[in-house]
Amino acid sequence: MLNLSQYFPITDPTLIFFVVLIIILFAPIVMGRLRIPHIIGMVLAGVLLGKYGLNILERDASFELFGRVGLYYIMFLAGLEMDMEGLKKNIQRVSVFAVLTFLLPFLMTFLVSLIVLDYGPRASQLLGCLMASNTLIAYPIVARYGLQRHITSTLSVGSSMLSLSLSLITMAIIVNSATGDGTFWFWLFFIVKLALFCIGVTFFVPRLTRWFLRSYSDAVMQFVFVLAVMFCCAALSDWIGLEGIFGAFFAGLILNRYIPALSPLMNRLEFTGNALFIPYFLIGVGMLINIDILFEGRHILWVILCFVFFGTVGKAAAAYFAAFIFRFKKTWGHMMFGLTSAHAAGAIAMVMVGRGVIINGQPLFGDDVLNGVVIMILATCIISTIVTEQAALTIRLKERGKNAEELQRTDDEKILIPVKYPEYADNLLSMAMMMRNTRLKREMVALNVVYDDANMSSNQAEGHQLLDHLQQVAAASDIILRTQVRIAANIANGIKHAFKEFQASEIIMGLHFHNEISTKFWGQFTQSLYNGLSRQIIIARIMQPLNTIRRIQVAVPSRAEYESGFYRWLERLARMAENLDCRIQFHGREESLTLIREYIQNTHPSVRIELTTMGHWNELPKLASSIRDDHMFVVVTARKGTISYKNALERLPDEINKYFSGTTLMIVFPDQYGSPDESMTFAQSQHTEERSAYDLLFEKLKKFKKERTKGNFKNSRTH
C-alpha cells in the first residue's frame, strides 16, 4: 500500500508556499459558509495543517520571515486607518471613554490572571494590555446602517485608537522591565530613548515623505518607500528596547495624513498585506497552537472562561459607565459596547510578543495562553457582531425621522444600462427612459461587457453594433446616450468598474434567460454584482411590450422605509406608472404604505395608486392569483444584512420560478448605507457566501424529516 506519511510534513519551500496560497484562497469560502470570522479561519487552518494537527506543513523559515512582516503590517495598517480628524473633534469625550475602556479591562484581567489563574505579575500585566485593546471588527455593520457619523461610532473609533496606543506603550514598558535590570539609570535611559525615537520620527519622517512623494510618482517606488519607512521605524523601536510592533504602529500614525484612505497607494498597501503577509502570519500562529492542551484538564477551560468573561465584562463596564457619564441612551451604550468588545489581530500580535519574551528560560506566555486567546477572539468577535447589529438596527429604526429629508435627495440620477442580448436591449432602454427625470436632462450610459477570450474581437463588433442601435433609439427621443464596449475577465467587475468610472447612480439590467449559459436563477454574475455594489440595481424580465402593461403590482417588505434607497425606487416606479398611464398597487405593511401614499400624492398626484395591506412576506405566493398577463410584478428585496432583509427573501428565486414563471417581472435592490468596496480591512472578509452551511444543513434535515414522515404515512396506509 502507498504510505503517504513519508511525504509529510512538507519541507520543500515551493510546496509550502503553494499550500499556504491554497489555504488563503479557499479559507474565506469555507469560513463564509460556516459564518466564522475570517481571522479565526486562517488560524484554524494553521492548526489543522500544523504539527499538532494533521502535520502536513513544516513551520519553516518562511513563516518566521512572512510572519514578522505580517505582524508589523497589522499594526502599521491599524495606524494608517485611524481617523485623526474625528479624534481631534471629540477629544474630551474620546479621552474619557479611552481611559475607561483601557483601564477597566486591564485591571480586571490583571487581578484575575494574578489571583485566579496564578500567572506571574508581568504575564498578568501583559494579558491586561491585551484585553485593554480592541479591534473594530463590527464597524462594517455600522457603515451598512449609515451610522458612521453617529456620536457612538465616533467615540468608539477614537477610544479604540487611544486604548491601542496606551496598550502598546504599557506593553513596551512591561517587556523592558522583564528584560532589563530595572535600575533607575535603566529607566531613565529608556525614557530618553523613547522620547528621542518619537521626536526623531515625528520630525524627520513627514519631511522625508513629503519630499519623496512629490519627487517620485512611480507606484512601485512609493510603495517600497512606505514599507521601508515602516520597517525602519520597527527596527529602531526594537533597537531602543521597545517592541517592533510599536514602531510599525507609530509609523502608521505618522504617515496617516500622507496616504488618503481611498488613494491607490493605500489600496496597494492593504491589498498586499491582506492578500499575503497577514494571512501568512495568522496561519503561522495556528501552527503553534497545541490542541491537545484543551483535553489535558480543567485548567485550560478555566483560562478560556476567564479570558472571555472578564475581557468582555471589562469592555461592557467601560461602555455603559461612559454612556451613563455622557447621559446617553441605553441603546447607545449597547452600540459602544458592541464596537469595542472584539479582539482580533492586535491581540494575536501581543500574545506573540509575550511568547518571545524569555524569563529564566521560559516564555512569558505558554501554550495555554495562546490557545485561550485564540478562542477568546472567536467568542468576542461573535458577541461584538451580534450586539452591534442589534444596537445599530434599533438606533436606525428610532431615528428615521431625522434622516427623512436626506433620504429624499435623489437628484444624482445617472442610469447605467448593461446590455448583451439584442432582444432585451430595446426594452431595457425604454424602461430606463420611462424612469428618468426629464427635467434634469441627464445623460444615460449603455454598456456592453465582453469577455477577454478567443472570441473577443467578434463580440466587440457585435457590442458596438448593438450600442449604435441603442444610441439611434435614444437620439430619436432627444436623449443623450453614452456607450462603451468594455473588455473584462469578469463581467461583474467590468460593470462595477464602469459604474464608478461614469459615476452612475443606479443600474437597470435584464434577468438572464439562457439556461445553456447558467442554470442558476441569477445567472453567472448578478449575485456578485448586487453584493459588490451598494447602489440601486433593478433587474427586469420583460415578457411583453411595456406600453401594453395595464397595472404595476409592487411587493414591499417590512421596514423598507428605513433603507436609504426607499424614495429612489419609489420615485422610479411612480414615473414609470405616470408614463405608462397605468395603475400601481402596493402590497406591504401599514407603516410603509402610509409613507408611500404621502410621497406619491405630494410628488405625482396624477398617478392612480392602490394600497393593499400584506401582513407577512410569506403571503407573497398568494399574489400570483391576482396578477394577470398584462400586469408587471415588482419585488422590492434587500441585500443580506440590511434593515429590511429577512430570511424569507432567500426563497425568492424558488417562489418566482414556481408562482411567477410567465410574469413580466422587476426585482429591485435598493440603495444601502455604506459601500462594500470602501474597506479592505482583514477583519472583514472580502468574500461572503450568500447562504451558510448551517442553513443548508437545516434544509437537508427538514427535507429528510418531511420525506421520512411521508414514507411512514404511506406505510401506515398500506397496513
Side-chain angles (χ1 to χ4, degrees), residues 570-703:
L570 186 55
E571 173 69 19
R572 301 299 182 263
L573 293 180
R575 285 186 204 150
M576 190 171 179
E578 198 169 40
N579 286 318
L580 290 173
D581 193 25
C582 67
R583 291 183 180 275
I584 183 166
Q585 183 176 2
F586 293 91
H587 305 264
R589 292 280 184 90
E590 192 64 40
E591 311 88 75
S592 307
L593 298 180
T594 301
L595 290 175
I596 289 171
R597 181 196 297 111
E598 289 176 1
Y599 182 81
I600 292 184
Q601 286 178 349
N602 292 333
T603 58
H604 299 276
S606 62
V607 171
R608 293 172 290 165
I609 179 176
E610 294 181 17
L611 304 173
T612 305
T613 302
M614 183 174 70
H616 199 279
W617 194 255
N618 290 335
E619 298 176 23
L620 190 68
K622 296 180 182 178
L623 296 179
S625 60
S626 65
I627 295 176
R628 306 288 179 260
D629 292 339
D630 55 359
H631 290 190
M632 171 182 279
F633 182 47
V634 180
V635 181
V636 180
T637 183
R639 296 167 176 88
K640 196 157 194 169
T642 53
I643 300 173
S644 60
Y645 178 82
K646 46 188 62 60
N647 290 330
L649 289 171
E650 291 190 355
R651 300 194 300 268
L652 187 62
D654 296 331
E655 290 176 344
I656 287 175
N657 284 332
K658 187 174 181 180
Y659 301 105
F660 307 97
S661 57
T663 307
T664 297
L665 181 72
M666 181 191 297
I667 302 173
V668 180
F669 289 90
D671 286 347
Q672 68 181 67
Y673 293 103
S675 172
D677 293 328
E678 287 176 1
S679 173
M680 285 186 64
T681 58
F682 194 80
Q684 182 74 0
S685 172
Q686 297 303 297
H687 174 85
T688 54
E689 288 290 330
E690 187 67 16
R691 306 193 67 184
S692 71
Y694 311 114
D695 294 335
L696 297 174
L697 179 61
F698 179 74
E699 283 186 8
K700 293 284 187 185
L701 291 173
K702 193 175 179 181
K703 187 177 179 182

Side-chain angles (χ1 to χ4, degrees), residues 415-431:
I415 300 173
L416 175 69
I417 314 165
V419 291
K420 181 178 181 180
Y421 304 111
E423 59 267 37
Y424 245 56
D426 284 10
N427 281 329
L428 288 176
L429 180 61
S430 298
M431 180 177 286

Side-chain angles (χ1 to χ4, degrees), residues 102-139:
F102 168 79
L103 205 56
L104 293 182
F106 178 87
L107 291 175
M108 284 187 184
T109 308
F110 170 71
L111 293 174
V112 168
S113 301
L114 191 65
I115 299 170
V116 179
L117 299 179
D118 200 28
Y119 290 144
R122 291 192 180 93
S124 300
Q125 291 166 359
L126 196 53
L127 277 171
C129 290
L130 189 151
M131 295 297 182
S133 67
N134 64 273
T135 305
L136 293 165
I137 197 168
Y139 190 75

Side-chain angles (χ1 to χ4, degrees), residues 24-38:
I24 296 172
L25 178 63
F26 287 104
I29 299 174
V30 176
M31 295 305 135
R33 287 284 188 191
L34 298 175
R35 297 295 188 261
I36 294 175
H38 200 192

Side-chain angles (χ1 to χ4, degrees), residues 233-254:
C233 290
L236 286 173
S237 175
D238 211 29
W239 179 66
I240 66 172
L242 290 165
E243 280 299 316
I245 62 173
F246 176 81
F249 176 73
F250 195 69
L253 290 179
I254 297 299

